[in-house]
């Protein structure tokens, strides 16, 4: 399958929303991770799309800012969405690898995710990296995991990871 990865652009917004609705359905808005996205803009410099040669949306990956327990800003991957009839053709894996490279290049010490262990473990995501971190709600049947670029960037932390809402009090 031929496709091109590129930065998400404003004109992709409607197609991405449609794709995410198709991939996850309306129940996605009831999941714990949705509160990290609801009313919060994604980290736009870390959002990517997979496009066909004709410019059609095939897949998307976004990253969202989160407030870490030490008061710093972290980043959470998700959602990763690929058209259902194109799953298994490498689009999602290419988007994840590209997104991980982008977050590393942006200077983040690591990445958080709530996702399928079997899918994300080959990229280096591990539960033990976030063993002392909590999210404000259940993630089952998925798994809370982290990927560290810098040693102990996540595993040294302890406490609640919260949605990142910019306020005057936050200095991140």
């Amino acid at each position: 399958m031929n496709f091109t990865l590129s930065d998400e652009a404003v004109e992709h917004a409607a197609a991405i929303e449609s794709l995410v609705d198709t991939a996850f359905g309306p129940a996605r808005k009831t999941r714990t991770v949705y509160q990290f996205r609801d009313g919060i803009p994604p980290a736009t410099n870390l959002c990517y799309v997979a496009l066909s040669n004709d410019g059609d949306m095939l897949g998307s990956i976004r990253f969202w800012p989160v407030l870490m327990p030490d008061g710093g800003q972290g980043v959470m991957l998700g959602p990763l969405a690929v058209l259902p009839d194109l799953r298994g053709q490498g689009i999602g894996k290419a988007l994840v690898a590209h997104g991980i490279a982008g977050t590393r290049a942006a200077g983040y010490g690591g990445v958080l995710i709530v996702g399928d262990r079997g899918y994300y473990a080959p990229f280096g995501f591990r539960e033990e990296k976030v063993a002392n971190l909590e999210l404000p709600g259940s993630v089952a049947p998925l798994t809370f995991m982290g990927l560290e670029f810098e040693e102990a960037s996540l595993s040294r932390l302890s406490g609640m990871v919260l949605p990142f809402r910019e306020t005057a009090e936050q200095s991140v």
Side-chain angles (χ1 to χ4, degrees):
M1 156 129 295
N2 291 327
F3 58 90
T4 303
L5 300 180
S6 67
D7 293 346
E8 177 183 319
V10 174
E11 60 267 18
H12 297 135
I16 291 170
E17 283 305 309
S18 177
L19 173 64
V20 171
D21 282 342
T22 299
F24 297 104
R28 72 184 172 96
K29 294 183 178 182
T30 65
R31 295 181 178 167
T32 295
V33 293
Y34 188 73
Q35 67 184 291
F36 287 87
R37 303 170 189 150
D38 190 25
I40 301 169
T44 53
N45 62 325
L46 299 175
C47 296
Y48 308 102
V49 294
L51 302 172
S52 72
N53 293 337
D54 296 330
D56 295 329
M57 179 70 56
L58 305 178
S60 167
I61 190 168
R62 285 179 161 175
F63 292 81
W64 302 83
V66 296
L67 182 62
M68 301 302 287
D70 65 355
Q73 183 179 331
V75 67
M76 184 178 288
L77 186 163
L80 166 67
V82 175
L83 286 173
D85 58 334
L86 297 179
R87 290 180 185 159
Q89 296 188 37
I91 296 169
K93 289 180 180 180
L95 282 165
V96 172
H98 192 75
I100 288 171
T103 57
R104 182 188 296 257
Y108 287 96
V111 179
L112 302 172
I113 189 168
V114 173
D116 179 274
R117 179 185 303 116
Y119 189 85
Y120 290 100
F123 294 100
F125 286 92
R126 301 285 183 266
E127 293 168 76
E128 60 269 13
K129 300 299 181 186
V130 296
N132 297 316
L133 296 175
E134 301 173 55
L135 294 178
S138 172
V139 298
L142 300 175
T143 305
F144 182 39
M145 298 172 283
L147 170 64
E148 292 180 327
F149 304 134
E150 299 170 8
E151 188 172 338
S153 64
L154 300 173
S155 57
R156 70 176 167 74
L157 299 175
S158 178
M160 187 70 66
V161 177
L162 297 169
F164 184 82
R165 299 186 194 286
E166 289 194 58
T167 66
E169 298 86 45
Q170 292 175 339
S171 58
V172 291

